[in-house]
Amino acid sequence: MAAIEGKADLGTHRVENQPPARGDLDLVGGDQPLRDALAGLDEERSAELAAYGLALGREEMRWAARDANRNPPELLAYDRGGRRLDELRFHPAYHLFMELSVSAGYHALPWEGQGGGHLAHAAMVYLASQVEPGHCCPLTMTYAGIAALSAQHGEVAQRWRKALMSRRYDPSVRELTQKAGATLGMALTEKQGGSDVRSNATVAEPDGDVWRLTGHKWFCSAPMSDGFLTLAQGPEGLSCFLVPRWLEGGRNGIRIARLKDKLGNRSNGSAEIEYEGALAWPLGAPGEGVRTIIEMIHHTRLDTAMAPAGLMRAALAEAHHWVSHRSAFQRRLIDQPLMRAVLADLALDLEGSLALGLRVAGAFDGSGEADRAFARIGVALAKYLSNKLCPVVVCEAMEILGGAGYVEDGPLPMLYREAPLNGIWEGSGNVICLDVLRTLTRDPAAREVLMAEFSAASAASGRFASALREHQTRWPGLPEEAEARAFVERTALLLAASALLRAVPAEIAEAFIDTRLLSPRGRTPGAIPAMDVGAVIDRLGPGG
């Protein structure tokens, strides 16, 4: 039953020219680009995604997202009697999202033995990020942590992997064997190093069958997780450890120094922590900490490539709804040529980011060397491109709504605060660009799969072939470091165009190629050559 609308005749004036409430949404059924990219997904996975999209799309969940972000977690360092707790208390709305996403298998789908798990997981990241992106953080790390633990042997790793795979959300403060399910975080960053984790100063010392860690971590995301993967300096060098949050009969030596007062991602806690002789188990070979944890980082990068596409989709859905129902100068905004050019340009950014991210996710599902090589290079390119586009798209969508987009009544301020996050986490722009150059230098398979992808796209589109020739003329080999951003941006755009040629109608892919790779364009959205924008705008859905 539809909700009763608010009163529009207020005596002093009548409310007019305002869009209606959006109500319940079908986040999968109403998203043609997503359905195109998931066309090859099996029926069971598709049904799971459809149900998840309907659950997230309920109007009550948007209100819950508002509550979760307006009431960030609170640090309880001590109880009322002065006993040390080091716990976070979350608003019930946060737990509502965690329960929904855990039960849907956001973190577990790729590891349950069916095909298409990474593709379905990536789509869930995209969907969840549209509504409440903060709760994605612990679930993304749990998903990625399972990958890291899968390469480990022994009873400890097996026990943790089983608990992390559970589809039951259990936030209780208990030792792992007493819980219905668990989450896993990551604590790497230290003040003196940042991205240079090899300079970490946290110390690991043996204590019988376990190790003890002492040191400070400047960023620990989701500090209420049941455990963390972390790096510390042992006798053989920087090593990886699994640190449990809770111990049988007590608490581990993990102290929360303070919560970070972040720009966005406010429903999720991030903290500075101290290890004070914290019990830990070693993972991987001693002195090979970076190599051990890189599998977790590789998988978190997939999510940081997908989340900005979700943020862009949410922002554009709001903008499209607004322009479809609001008029100015005696015409609906959606019918005005300049507005249509801006909206179509933004929609093409979304189309490319979504198709590229899901193309890469499909490679994560592959088992051959070519798939693994494509995933290695593709995830870096997708992360770079999507995160550089996201803040611009969200900001422009906010501007489309004008003052109505700038106030906290709607979701755009939350989306805008969230927009920079994924570009910072798991490798900032320069780090990603250097990783791309390093991969293409050291990994012949990555170069080969990239060229095979481009060759197939050239056969499908003469326009793509022209753009590729221009790219190869400018860079017959790899660029100097100072040109890395230009090279990576262009390479990522080519890869996005290639993904679009595989997934969407030809007119959409060709519009992307024309406006991003061939024709001169300005630096602002909508500053593009004249094009037929109708087909692009139609794919945003029926007025949002």
Side-chain angles (χ1 to χ4, degrees), residues 206-230:
D207 182 12
D209 294 334
V210 299
W211 289 69
R212 297 287 175 178
L213 306 189
T214 302
H216 177 269
K217 296 295 182 179
W218 200 31
F219 251 101
C220 173
S221 295
M224 278 299 284
S225 298
D226 295 287
F228 307 101
L229 293 192
T230 197

Side-chain angles (χ1 to χ4, degrees), residues 32 56 389:
Q32 186 63 52
L56 280 170
L389 294 174

